[in-house]
Amino acid sequence: MIIETPNENQPYIKGELITVVYMNEENFYTVARVKVHDTNVELSDKVIAIVGTLPKLDEEHLYTFYGKKIDHPKFGEQFQVSSFEKEIPKTTEGIVRYLSSDRFKGIGRKTAEAIVQTLGEQAISKIIEDKNVLKKIPTLKDDKIQLIYNQVIEHQGIEQVLIELYKFGFGAQLAMRIFQAYKDETLQVVKTNPYQLIYDVEGIGFARADALGQVLGFTKEQPERIHAGCLHIVQEMSLQEGHVYIERSELIGGAIKLLSDFSYSISRQDVEQQLLFLEEEGQLIVEGENVYLPSLFFAEKGLVTNISKLLTDDTQIEEFPEAEFLKAIGETEEELKIEYAPSQKEAIKTALKSGIMILTGGPGTGKTTVIKGIVESYAKLHGLSLNKRDYGKNNPFPIILVAPTGRAAKRMSEATGLPAETIHRLLGWKGGHSGFEKDEDNPIEGKLLIVDEVSMVDIWLANQLFKSLPSTIQVILVGDEDQLPSVGPGQVLSELLHSNVIPTVNLIDIYRQAKESSIIQLAHKMKEGHLPEDITEAKVDRRFFPCSQEQVISVITQICQNALKKGYTAKEIQVLAPMYRGNAGIEALNTTLQKIFNPKQEKQREIVFGEVSYRVGDVVLQLVNNPEENVFNGDRGEIVAIFYAKENVEKQDQVVISFEGIEVTYTKQDLNQITLAYCCSVHKSQGSEFPIVIMPIVRGYHRMLRRNLVYTGITRAKEYLILCGEVKAFETAIQQQNEMKRNTKLREKLMAVMSLSEEF
């Protein structure tokens, strides 16, 4: 939405910059001190600290800062800047003196006079918009024009660009992000094609770019607008709903609806014409009646190619007599002091004989036991040591265990006694747009790869993993199809299972101790589409507390307080909820639970970020991948220290979080990477287990009431499950067997390739 230029009705401070206390060169977060000349804000002093996203400021220069006064718990009165204006000379003489000052090397008095005489009092603005206006001055050669332009941009350009962007309604942080994307071409890009911002600047969607386009005079049928609308539809359907492709008719219908309003209707012909252009330019790929983002098309195609290679090329599989298999499995049973059931033995044998194999099954069916058996038996058959110390840099450990999240990898390592890591770490993900170190030209090194929790793996990551595999490796995929699909596009595990071309063992029998777990019994009943009659009865490891949506927080509060009295800690208790908003949502629950698990105490250190107070001792959740620190999306940590700006050389607040012993330091502006973790979404908990899980389900969650979501949530409970809410809401969730089907051709394409290979 476009807003008016800042004015004196807004809180402002006009003042002279005394000094810059701190400035982060990467994101321009700045702390500075200003001598106040004029303001409409009540201040206790004539000198105040300003904070915000700002470019390099000139000391002893006059600025007008807009924003709001805040009271920092540690540093007192501050002014938080949302936008600003730099006072520049307005008279002809003032501009001449300004341009001929020490700020601009190579511009003397005569050159400055010639510039102002030719370009007038708007000289600086004109130079910023187009350096070629300097060619009107005969005495200036090209190298001098470039020098003057560069210096004007350095001293005035950022400020002028940001001020222009403020006029278009962009806040300080977003405006700075736009400037960092385009530098001195910012205004040219914004004014000639505002829709380009959608592709280049994080945080700008179609609605915002379209509003800017309308203000700048772009017509409804402008090609750039239709391009952006079509791409927006495909991206939204892929990223928000998990589709790998969108049907052409659905895209055209969606684009017409998006681009039209009560006063104007875009034509189908216009959309089809621009869709053809996007296809010709390679921005979209059309296959039959299906439209793909290029990255998703090639990910699906690449995954099919690499899986079919594993299925058809058996050179990586060493042949062994049946007796050798039985001997290896028997020795494994003796060492582990277990006896494998026939289906488990079959799973181990199938894995050892296949280039790729899928192991699936619900909780309690022994998937982890089988993984251990595969590893041990593989090592015996191939004469390999499972002691990592027996291997070196030039002789890497031959068995690779990976999972999508750090917590899932840790569980895998604990279960097998072998090292395990995240898929991102294995592939050497470098963050952002830098990509991965491992690919087809630099494959990973190993002989056996086991991937757990495959239901969480999206089509992009699956493709990156499989194209990074050497031709000599065997692959075991492990997962539970009934869990939630990946957050990203596709449903890889389900598609591979239903292709029926990959050797698969589905474990269905519940074994020994698992049979005594009412949690596991409940999970399997849910898989069958039933809610047990004893759902409200108290069990040794499960309870149900009936309550309304308005009572959820009160009930969970009592449960957590009782758990604390029994000696449980915040790390051992995980509340799971399907939605963030509302009186029974994640945000409201976290606010309440923090007061229970880590209440504010005298002299306890805390930092306020947005509406959240982070304190030493808080349990938090990582929201983004940070490969440099070996911390990934979904990792759970604890705040172990807080340092205030005056206590460190960086002169800014810092929060230290321990993730299973890995300590990571965050500055205040980095705190958007974390959130309180006393309550989290079911998606964020996937791949993890907790001693106690508390899960509310009420009809207010109606949009999220799906069987796979509730199933995934309750199977996170390792020792005790506490359900609360409305039985009717649980029944509704169980009946929602299939969430909206995701568009993907992985299964069909894999079946087609394998059918073709069988003909030759």
Side-chain angles (χ1 to χ4, degrees):
M1 184 176 70
I2 308 303
I3 62 172
E4 297 179 358
T5 309
N7 56 63
E8 293 192 1
N9 292 325
Q10 295 178 262
Y12 74 90
I13 287 176
K14 181 180 287 187
E16 180 183 341
L17 182 70
I18 300 173
T19 184
V20 175
V21 178
Y22 169 79
M23 180 179 181
N24 185 311
E25 296 290 343
E26 291 185 6
N27 58 26
F28 293 90
Y29 179 79
T30 301
V31 180
R33 292 180 65 76
V34 170
K35 182 179 180 181
V36 180
H37 290 193
D38 184 29
T39 183
N40 61 358
V41 179
E42 187 176 334
L43 301 176
S44 60
D45 197 354
K46 286 293 184 183
V47 175
I48 189 171
I50 62 163
V51 296
T53 304
L54 298 164
K56 185 177 180 180
L57 302 173
D58 293 328
E59 293 185 7
E60 300 180 358
H61 209 95
L62 197 62
Y63 293 87
T64 300
F65 300 101
Y66 299 91
K68 63 179 180 180
K69 187 182 79 169
I70 59 174
D71 290 313
H72 191 280
K74 188 72 176 178
F75 304 110
E77 194 173 75
Q78 294 181 336
F79 193 78
Q80 192 172 65
V81 179
S82 60
S83 62
F84 75 98
E85 294 176 355
K86 183 176 183 178
E87 299 292 319
I88 59 174
K90 292 183 172 59
T91 64
T92 299
E93 178 58 27
I95 296 171
V96 169
R97 283 203 306 269
Y98 177 70
L99 287 174
S100 59
S101 69
D102 293 340
R103 290 184 180 88
F104 301 94
K105 296 177 182 178
I107 303 180
R109 175 85 187 183
K110 287 186 178 180
T111 301
E113 287 175 344
I115 291 172
V116 175
Q117 186 177 359
T118 304
L119 302 180
E121 294 180 359
Q122 301 299 316
I124 294 173
S125 297
K126 289 179 180 179
I127 294 169
I128 290 169
E129 285 191 16
D130 183 8
K131 66 182 177 183
N132 290 320
V133 296
L134 290 168
K135 290 183 178 180
K136 295 179 181 179
I137 302 162
T139 56
L140 294 181
K141 295 182 179 179
D142 288 347
D143 57 342
K144 193 68 171 283
I145 288 173
Q146 188 64 45
L147 175 65
I148 294 171
Y149 175 73
N150 290 344
Q151 291 184 97
V152 169
I153 286 293
E154 180 183 351
H155 289 283
Q156 286 289 338
I158 297 179
E159 290 90 342
Q160 290 295 313
V161 168
L162 292 181
I163 289 166
E164 286 294 312
L165 293 176
Y166 296 152
K167 292 178 182 178
F168 294 134
F170 297 112
Q173 286 188 327
L174 197 52
M176 185 59 73
R177 213 177 292 156
I178 295 170
F179 180 81
Q180 287 176 306
Y182 303 119
K183 302 297 183 185
D184 55 330
E185 296 180 356
T186 298
L187 293 180
Q188 181 182 356
V189 172
V190 169
K191 291 179 179 180
T192 58
N193 184 11
Y195 298 98
Q196 188 63 37
L197 273 63
I198 300 171
Y199 319 122
D200 300 334
V201 183
E202 184 181 354
I204 296 180
F206 177 81
R208 190 156 203 172
D210 197 36
L212 177 57
Q214 301 311 304
V215 168
L216 293 171
F218 278 69
T219 61
K220 299 277 189 181
E221 67 274 8
Q222 199 101 6
E224 293 88 347
R225 181 173 185 264
I226 301 175
H227 296 166
C230 289
L231 287 169
H232 171 77
I233 295 291
V234 181
Q235 289 172 339
E236 282 291 298
M237 295 290 282
S238 298
L239 300 178
Q240 300 300 322
E241 300 183 22
H243 295 305
V244 177
Y245 68 86
I246 178 172
E247 293 178 3
R248 182 188 182 92
S249 59
E250 191 174 3
L251 167 57
I252 293 172
I256 290 173
K257 184 177 179 181
L258 175 70
L259 298 169
S260 303
D261 56 32
F262 65 91
S263 63
Y264 174 83
S265 180
I266 200 84
S267 74
R268 184 183 184 90
Q269 183 179 356
D270 281 343
V271 174
E272 288 181 333
Q273 182 180 349
Q274 297 310 323
L275 183 55
L276 181 62
F277 172 83
L278 289 170
E279 184 182 2
E280 291 172 348
E281 291 293 305
Q283 291 179 272
L284 290 174
I285 292 179
V286 180
E287 184 181 60
E289 291 299 308
N290 303 325
V291 183
Y292 291 79
L293 293 174
S295 64
L296 289 172
F297 176 83
F298 290 113
E300 187 174 74
K301 182 179 180 181
L303 185 55
V304 168
T305 299
N306 288 301
I307 288 179
S308 62
K309 285 180 182 177
L310 289 171
L311 288 167
T312 55
D313 182 4
D314 58 3
T315 56
Q316 77 273 40
I317 306 169
E318 192 173 342
E319 297 284 346
F320 293 97
E322 183 73 10
E324 290 288 328
F325 284 115
L326 296 176
K327 180 184 176 185
I329 295 172
E331 289 176 355
T332 298
E333 287 179 311
E334 287 182 19
E335 288 182 12
L336 300 180
K337 294 181 174 57
I338 60 173
E339 182 180 350
Y340 287 116
S343 62
Q344 293 177 316
K345 287 183 180 179
E346 184 61 31
I348 296 172
K349 283 172 57 181
T350 303
L352 298 173
K353 292 180 177 181
S354 307
I356 179 172
M357 174 256 199
I358 300 175
L359 175 66
T360 186
T365 56
K367 292 194 300 294
T368 302
T369 305
V370 171
I371 291 173
K372 181 72 171 172
I374 293 171
V375 169
E376 294 284 347
S377 300
Y378 183 91
K380 294 182 191 309
L381 283 172
H382 293 83
L384 299 173
S385 167
L386 292 178
N387 188 339
K388 198 168 184 183
R389 284 177 290 188
D390 293 336
Y391 299 87
K393 186 176 181 181
N394 298 322
N395 182 29
F397 195 67
I399 299 174
I400 304 170
L401 306 182
V402 295
T405 67
R407 297 276 298 187
K410 184 182 179 185
R411 283 175 51 206
M412 202 178 185
S413 180
E414 290 170 347
T416 61
L418 295 175
E421 58 187 338
T422 64
I423 300 173
H424 281 85
R425 186 165 177 80
L426 170 70
L427 298 177
W429 189 65
K430 294 174 284 187
H433 299 289
S434 301
F436 296 84
E437 292 176 2
K438 299 297 182 181
D439 55 24
E440 58 268 45
D441 299 320
N442 181 29
I444 63 175
E445 296 181 82
K447 296 182 178 180
L448 176 67
L449 171 69
I450 302 179
V451 188
D452 200 6
E453 299 285 358
V454 179
S455 63
M456 299 176 65
V457 179
D458 64 33
I459 193 80
W460 282 314
L461 186 57
N463 176 54
Q464 186 67 40
L465 175 61
F466 274 86
K467 77 178 183 180
S468 303
L469 300 181
S471 59
T472 54
I473 202 166
Q474 288 179 253
V475 179
I476 315 298
L477 303 177
V478 185
D480 184 349
E481 182 191 7
D482 293 300
Q483 288 193 29
L484 287 168
S486 56
V487 174
Q491 42 193 26
V492 173
L493 177 61
S494 177
E495 288 287 289
L496 295 182
L497 277 170
H498 294 287
S499 70
N500 295 318
V501 299
I502 300 175
T504 300
V505 175
N506 181 16
L507 302 175
I508 57 175
D509 297 320
I510 304 174
Y511 292 97
R512 281 191 283 276
Q513 291 178 319
K515 285 184 178 179
E516 300 173 5
S517 167
S518 75
I519 301 171
I520 290 176
Q521 291 171 9
L522 172 61
H524 284 271
K525 280 285 186 183
M526 287 182 60
K527 284 180 67 166
E528 297 166 4
H530 305 298
L531 196 62
E533 293 180 2
D534 63 356
I535 184 67
T536 58
E537 294 179 14
K539 302 292 182 180
V540 175
D541 58 355
R542 172 167 61 83
R543 290 289 303 273
F544 182 94
F545 293 96
C547 65
S548 66
Q549 181 167 331
E550 289 70 26
Q551 297 169 319
V552 162
I553 287 185
S554 175
V555 169
I556 290 177
T557 296
Q558 293 177 51
I559 294 169
C560 291
Q561 287 172 337
N562 289 334
L564 285 174
K565 290 176 183 177
K566 292 179 180 179
Y568 287 97
T569 66
K571 288 183 178 180
E572 296 171 313
I573 304 168
Q574 183 63 63
V575 180
L576 301 177
M579 296 176 68
Y580 282 88
R581 305 290 183 184
N583 57 356
I586 293 169
E587 293 172 355
L589 282 163
N590 264 323
T591 300
T592 298
L593 293 170
Q594 185 189 40
K595 296 174 184 176
I596 298 170
F597 291 118
N598 193 23
K600 173 64 177 169
Q601 299 176 21
E602 189 178 353
K603 296 184 179 179
Q604 184 181 24
R605 294 194 162 211
E606 71 174 358
I607 283 181
V608 178
F609 183 79
E611 297 180 359
V612 181
S613 295
Y614 290 103
R615 302 167 187 150
V616 172
D618 272 334
V619 180
V620 295
L621 189 75
Q622 179 76 10
L623 299 175
V624 297
N625 290 325
N626 186 351
E628 293 180 1
E629 299 287 355
N630 194 26
V631 175
F632 297 90
N633 184 2
D635 285 353
R636 220 163 169 245
E638 179 184 353
I639 297 178
V640 293
I642 291 176
F643 300 103
Y644 297 122
K646 69 178 184 180
E647 300 171 339
N648 56 68
V649 294
E650 290 85 3
K651 299 298 181 188
Q652 57 181 325
D653 296 338
Q654 295 178 337
V655 176
V656 182
I657 302 174
S658 175
F659 295 93
E660 306 287 352
I662 299 172
E663 291 194 352
V664 182
T665 300
Y666 296 75
T667 56
K668 186 170 183 178
Q669 59 268 29
D670 296 329
L671 294 182
N672 59 351
Q673 297 180 20
I674 65 167
T675 186
L676 292 174
Y678 302 110
C679 178
C680 73
S681 70
V682 178
H683 266 111
K684 291 293 185 185
S685 73
Q686 202 169 355
S688 301
E689 280 186 344
F690 309 94
I692 298 178
V693 165
I694 304 170
M695 191 170 180
I697 296 291
V698 291
R699 278 174 285 190
Y701 296 150
H702 58 91
R703 287 192 302 108
M704 303 298 288
L705 292 181
R706 300 192 301 268
R707 184 191 300 179
N708 57 4
L709 184 138
V710 179
Y711 172 82
T712 302
I714 68 172
T715 54
R716 301 308 94 204
K718 192 173 182 180
E719 299 172 10
Y720 209 90
L721 171 67
I722 301 174
L723 303 170
C724 60
E726 301 157 335
V727 173
K728 283 289 184 185
F730 274 91
E731 290 175 347
T732 300
I734 304 307
Q735 290 162 7
Q736 303 300 317
Q737 181 176 359
N738 295 317
E739 64 170 10
M740 187 177 63
K741 180 173 166 39
R742 294 183 171 191
N743 294 337
T744 168
K745 292 290 183 182
L746 177 60
R747 174 172 54 118
E748 291 179 30
K749 290 181 177 180
L750 186 56
M751 291 171 68
V753 168
M754 293 309 298
S755 176
L756 190 63
S757 69
E758 289 173 5
E759 294 178 9
F760 292 94

